[in-house]
Amino acid sequence: MEKLEALKISSMRPRSNILDRPLSKGKSEVSHSIVALLFSEIVQYSQSRVFTVPELQTRLHDLGQDVGTRIIDLYFVRERSSKRETKLTQMLLFVKTTVWKNLFGKEAEKLEHANDDERTYYIIEKEPLVNTFISVPKDKSSLNCANFTAGIVEAVLTHCGFPCKVTAHWHKGTTYMVKFEDFVIARDKQMEEK
């Protein structure tokens, strides 16, 4: 009889749905060790299905895009009070700060605009979390696992209405080169004129 009462009481308590909890509270729930283990498994799995470093980087980028699509949807479901950015600079700052904090627990170090190309921006991260726990063999020295993060950034920006291509490069740590479509820049200029 006591078990039946306890079951009734526990089933009467409202259960917290994981989708209803804010992202900001979730960042302390996962340790770096677990992230390292899971990401290591992702890299090993991807490596077993490709033959060259560029193929591996492309595969990591594609997996990152899947994650980025889900991250931005989840963010807007949980943070109902937030608004979607319509200006390019504000969207890039959202990625540099909010998205980075929710994914890695810190902001990216820098956001820069290219001097020679108005469509190109750089997000700079000195020590990306995804490269921290990966030891790269000498024959694959050009491998940059931050292509996974580049895929996440590309998906977030694209699904928020700012189509672009994002690539990861070894420069000042890791630099994510974000190259927007021409119409994104034209639309942003029109919005500034109004």
Side-chain angles (χ1 to χ4, degrees):
M1 186 69 174
E2 288 180 25
K3 285 185 179 178
L4 185 58
E5 289 296 320
L7 184 60
K8 276 185 181 178
I9 291 171
S10 68
S11 65
M12 293 170 67
R13 284 188 220 140
R15 292 198 175 145
S16 172
N17 186 341
I18 193 166
L19 295 175
D20 293 333
R21 287 189 276 160
L23 283 176
S24 59
K25 290 184 180 172
K27 70 181 176 187
S28 62
E29 293 176 14
V30 179
S31 71
H32 288 296
S33 307
I34 296 298
V35 172
L37 175 66
L38 289 174
F39 190 69
S40 170
E41 289 298 317
I42 288 171
V43 172
Q44 288 176 34
Y45 173 82
S46 299
Q47 189 174 8
S48 69
R49 284 155 177 71
V50 297
F51 299 104
T52 65
V53 171
E55 287 176 347
L56 177 57
Q57 291 183 151
T58 300
R59 187 161 186 101
L60 289 172
H61 189 273
D62 293 345
L63 288 169
Q65 285 183 315
D66 291 341
V67 171
T69 301
R70 287 167 178 79
I71 287 289
I72 198 63
D73 287 343
L74 182 61
Y75 176 79
F76 284 114
V77 165
R78 286 185 177 170
E79 307 294 333
R80 292 180 183 102
S81 62
S82 66
K83 62 178 181 122
R84 289 189 184 243
E85 298 295 344
T86 56
K87 294 188 176 181
L88 180 60
T89 307
Q90 293 303 314
M91 187 63 205
L92 285 166
L93 287 171
F94 169 77
V95 169
K96 177 191 175 286
T97 57
T98 306
V99 172
W100 234 264
K101 279 182 187 176
N102 286 315
L103 288 173
F104 308 116
K106 62 178 179 121
E107 289 185 18
E109 276 80 18
K110 287 184 182 178
L111 173 64
E112 296 179 356
H113 189 219
N115 294 330
D116 57 343
D117 184 5
E118 67 180 350
R119 299 183 322 146
T120 305
Y121 288 81
Y122 303 106
I123 299 172
I124 300 169
E125 188 176 26
K126 290 183 181 159
E127 294 180 26
L129 181 65
V130 294
N131 284 345
T132 304
F133 303 105
I134 302 295
S135 53
V136 179
K138 290 185 181 190
D139 64 323
K140 293 184 169 105
S141 62
S142 64
L143 174 65
N144 190 343
C145 291
N147 276 289
F148 180 76
T149 306
I152 293 173
V153 172
E154 183 174 318
V156 166
L157 289 169
T158 299
H159 288 285
C160 285
F162 298 87
C164 62
K165 293 289 178 204
V166 181
T167 54
H169 304 275
W170 296 109
H171 180 68
K172 299 179 183 176
T174 294
T175 299
Y176 302 94
M177 184 172 79
V178 183
K179 193 163 190 102
F180 290 98
E181 300 287 335
D182 288 328
F183 79 89
V184 173
I185 303 302
R187 180 183 67 197
D188 201 53
K189 284 181 181 176
Q190 283 179 341
M191 291 177 78
E192 286 178 5
E193 290 172 2
K194 290 182 180 182

